[in-house]
Amino acid sequence: MKKVVAKFGGSNLKKKEDIQKLVRVIKAYDRPMVIVVSAFYGITNHLIQAMDDVKKDESNIEKLVRFLRELKEEAILENFDDKDWQDRTLNAVQSRIKELSRYLTGIHYIGDVPEFVEDVILSYGERLSSLVLTSILQSNGIDAEEALPEQMPLVTDGEFGNATVDFEISSANVQKRLAENKIYVVPGFYGVSEQGKVTLLGRGGSDYSAAAIARCLEAESLDVWKDVDGFMSADPKLVKSPQRITNLSYAEAAELSYFGASILHPRTVEPLKEVGIPIHIGNIDAFDGSVAPRTVVYGTETVTDCIIKSVTYSDDFCILKMRGPGVGLKKGVLAKVSVALDRAGINIKSVITSQIVINLLLSAKDIKRAYSIVEELELSSITELIASEQISTIAVVGEGLLDRPGVAGRLFMALARKDINVQMIVSGASAVASYFMVAKDDRDSAIEAIHDEFFK
Ligand SMILES: Nc1ncnc2c1ncn2[C@@H]1O[C@H](COP(=O)(O)OP(=O)(O)O)[C@@H](O)[C@H]1O
Ligand SMILES: N[C@@H](CC(=O)OP(=O)(O)O)C(=O)O
């Protein structure tokens, strides 16, 4: 029987009582499976801050240790009736926090955080969640076992902070480690390099961990549980009446997450699409005893009447404008710039050119460095270099987008009615997504205007 991989993230773990919701869902599956779990809500950010604080002052180690111990103690007292289970779990938690505090002591004394240590430290949010959840499941009479990525091992390409899973090496390892008919609980967010070093899979990367494990196991499905009613027509935090999307194609889900729909990590779809494993999105807050998904992401491509299924935004696209007379026609400019940026490890997200300007779309974290690198090249054909950072990229996504006339007209009319200026438009690069840039201040009203136009 194929396994199901279920992922529970920080959105499911905000309060100490929330763990019981996970237990109820896991019981409802009533089958052996793999659970991938993230840190409690906000804990990864807390650890990031702690690394900085600890460098300056050793007493911050004790502060963090106390904070984590109290947080876990509360969860343990809330979720275990039996004193023996409470004590056993508390002891295990204490020794895991002690491991963490050793790394923190190290960074205090060297006054720096080497990237391989940073990745280990940040993995502790997840390690604490998996330990406590496993214990709670066991105390409920469930045959559960914690399985750490280093025990498999789940091998990555070794890039610290943003690693990619190596499926060729990992698949057999994962299948072997998770072979029994029981419930395995795996901490998400990290794998290990071939040398055995912990490597994080990027912020929000537990969705990707779960997808990677599902892929290695050739799972029946990847079920991600969230705090919303499935994939919606827009982020429910931004629009008043979002509509649920029952079915999305892999391409639609991949584009939406690439353009910022935080419900899925942008790298979740790829490993599953290649082998046809469906992604099920469930709503833990509306759990009624059934594990039936609210949204299914699969290979089926459905064209709806209004074409657009969802609208999303990202603040992570900045524009580096390289102006100069005829720059778009001159040979070698783009090649020199892209080689220099590539050498600096900077990814170019997109290139849009005209006769007098080459626009590079870059991540917000790279824009300042990219500006300096291009400036230093002193290319005679570039007479002006501008970095635009105060922009938001808005994407509309839906199968059939490029084939149906009138969609773009409705979209831009809706923006014009609200007096929103569109700075740049990209259409045709993807068969299912069009995107455009507006000033950051116009972002929320642009999303609302488009959502009202297509979904009201
Ligand atoms: N189109 C969308 N549909 C549903 N939720 C969305 C969408 N875009 C963004 N979100 C946000 O995604 C959040 C859930 O993802 P996230 O917080 O990353 O969960 P987790 O921490 O469990 O991985 C929701 O609370 C919602 O605000
Ligand atoms: N805890 C990590 C990894 C993660 O994926 O978390 P979540 O599942 O809550 O998005 C982070 O905050 O980046």
Side-chain angles (χ1 to χ4, degrees):
M1 188 188 190
K2 284 188 169 188
K3 285 195 156 78
V4 166
V5 176
K7 183 260 174 176
F8 299 94
S11 73
N12 308 143
L13 290 166
K14 288 185 174 146
K15 300 187 292 289
K16 56 184 188 299
E17 314 81 78
D18 286 349
I19 305 183
Q20 282 307 325
K21 291 193 205 163
L22 270 61
V23 175
R24 279 196 291 277
V25 173
I26 294 165
K27 278 185 174 168
Y29 275 99
D30 194 25
R31 61 185 285 176
M33 61 192 299
V34 179
I35 310 296
V36 175
V37 69
S38 298
F40 264 64
Y41 185 76
I43 290 299
T44 308
N45 287 344
H46 208 96
L47 290 170
I48 291 173
Q49 182 61 47
M51 287 190 297
D52 214 34
D53 297 344
V54 158
K55 272 193 291 184
K56 294 175 206 138
D57 184 347
E58 195 175 6
S59 70
N60 288 321
I61 300 176
E62 190 41 42
K63 270 194 205 142
L64 178 74
V65 165
R66 208 176 320 121
F67 165 77
L68 289 175
R69 203 175 45 219
E70 283 170 12
L71 192 80
K72 295 296 157 191
E73 256 173 31
E74 276 179 25
I76 288 164
L77 295 179
E78 170 80 25
N79 290 288
F80 292 95
D81 297 328
D82 183 287
K83 179 88 176 58
D84 275 357
W85 273 109
Q86 276 182 6
D87 291 346
R88 216 177 309 157
T89 312
L90 269 173
N91 286 340
V93 163
Q94 300 236 25
S95 42
R96 200 154 281 186
I97 294 176
K98 196 157 191 190
E99 289 167 18
L100 167 65
S101 77
R102 285 200 197 104
Y103 287 106
L104 292 169
T105 307
I107 64 172
H108 172 71
Y109 282 108
I110 57 175
D112 192 14
V113 193
E115 51 186 4
F116 76 94
V117 180
E118 176 168 342
D119 281 23
V120 180
I121 290 175
L122 295 187
S123 70
Y124 270 84
E126 273 62 20
R127 290 167 190 270
L128 288 167
S129 290
S130 58
L131 193 159
V132 172
L133 179 62
T134 309
S135 204
I136 292 174
L137 292 172
Q138 288 168 345
S139 74
N140 273 270
I142 296 169
D143 185 10
E145 180 187 337
E146 188 189 37
L148 301 176
E150 57 267 49
Q151 296 168 341
M152 299 170 187
L154 182 69
V155 176
T156 69
D157 62 359
E159 184 182 339
F160 292 110
N162 194 29
T164 302
V165 173
D166 184 325
F167 293 108
E168 266 184 39
I169 308 180
S170 300
S171 293
N173 301 344
V174 173
Q175 283 171 23
K176 197 163 168 218
R177 176 67 185 87
L178 307 180
E180 285 180 38
N181 280 333
K182 52 165 66 173
I183 297 211
Y184 290 100
V185 182
V186 180
F189 194 30
Y190 74 95
V192 290
S193 66
E194 282 194 79
Q195 294 72 36
K197 297 260 188 259
V198 168
T199 47
L200 295 182
L201 303 173
R203 285 309 304 271
S206 295
D207 286 346
Y208 174 53
S209 309
I213 288 170
R215 157 79 179 257
C216 291
L217 291 173
E218 295 163 20
E220 187 176 303
S221 62
L222 165 65
D223 296 8
V224 287
W225 288 85
K226 300 279 169 173
D227 60 345
V228 282
D229 207 29
F231 220 121
M232 310 295 282
S233 50
D235 185 342
K237 292 187 181 103
L238 283 186
V239 300
K240 280 189 211 88
S241 311
Q243 291 178 17
R244 177 164 61 91
I245 314 164
T246 46
N247 291 285
L248 272 176
S249 66
Y250 287 123
E252 288 169 325
E255 295 290 12
L256 282 165
S257 56
Y258 179 69
F259 287 108
S262 55
I263 182 162
L264 274 188
H265 185 274
R267 288 156 84 196
T268 313
V269 174
E270 207 47 46
L272 303 178
K273 181 183 164 204
E274 281 166 12
V275 288
I277 297 173
I279 305 171
H280 295 165
I281 303 177
N283 179 4
I284 204 156
D285 293 333
F287 178 65
D288 58 2
S290 159
V291 294
R294 306 297 292 155
T295 297
V296 176
V297 179
Y298 193 54
T300 324
E301 295 162 6
T302 44
V303 178
T304 55
D305 283 347
C306 87
I307 299 287
I308 289 176
K309 296 212 180 68
S310 192
V311 49
T312 184
Y313 78 90
S314 169
D315 288 341
D316 191 36
F317 286 69
C318 294
I319 312 176
L320 186 64
K321 286 178 187 289
M322 304 183 292
R323 276 188 208 277
V327 72
L329 298 172
K330 290 194 177 131
K331 275 195 287 180
V333 179
L334 196 51
K336 282 184 192 126
V337 170
S338 49
V339 166
L341 295 181
D342 186 47
R343 275 204 194 110
I346 293 176
N347 176 39
I348 301 174
K349 290 177 180 239
S350 189
V351 184
I352 304 155
T353 64
S354 75
Q355 206 241 13
I356 52 157
V357 59
I358 299 176
N359 297 286
L360 301 183
L361 302 193
L362 303 167
S363 178
K365 68 173 180 6
D366 294 328
I367 187 82
K368 290 204 166 62
R369 222 157 38 95
Y371 184 99
S372 313
I373 291 167
V374 177
E375 200 175 30
E376 276 165 27
L377 288 176
E378 293 182 353
L379 297 172
S380 57
S381 35
I382 299 175
T383 52
E384 194 185 8
L385 197 57
I386 305 166
S388 299
E389 294 181 65
Q390 293 310 311
I391 54 160
S392 263
T393 298
I394 297 185
V396 289
V397 172
E399 293 284 347
L401 190 67
L402 298 184
D403 308 325
R404 178 80 59 92
V407 178
R410 280 176 72 190
L411 189 97
F412 293 115
M413 276 308 290
L415 296 173
R417 278 196 295 273
K418 294 257 171 153
D419 248 353
I420 296 169
N421 179 39
V422 176
Q423 302 188 7
M424 200 181 281
I425 303 164
V426 182
S427 194
S430 152
V432 300
S434 291
Y435 61 98
F436 55 90
M437 277 86 175
V438 297
K440 235 179 217 168
D441 289 345
D442 289 334
R443 181 192 75 196
D444 293 0
S445 33
I447 299 252
E448 204 185 320
I450 295 166
H451 196 265
D452 281 356
E453 172 65 30
F454 289 94
F455 297 99
K456 223 172 180 179

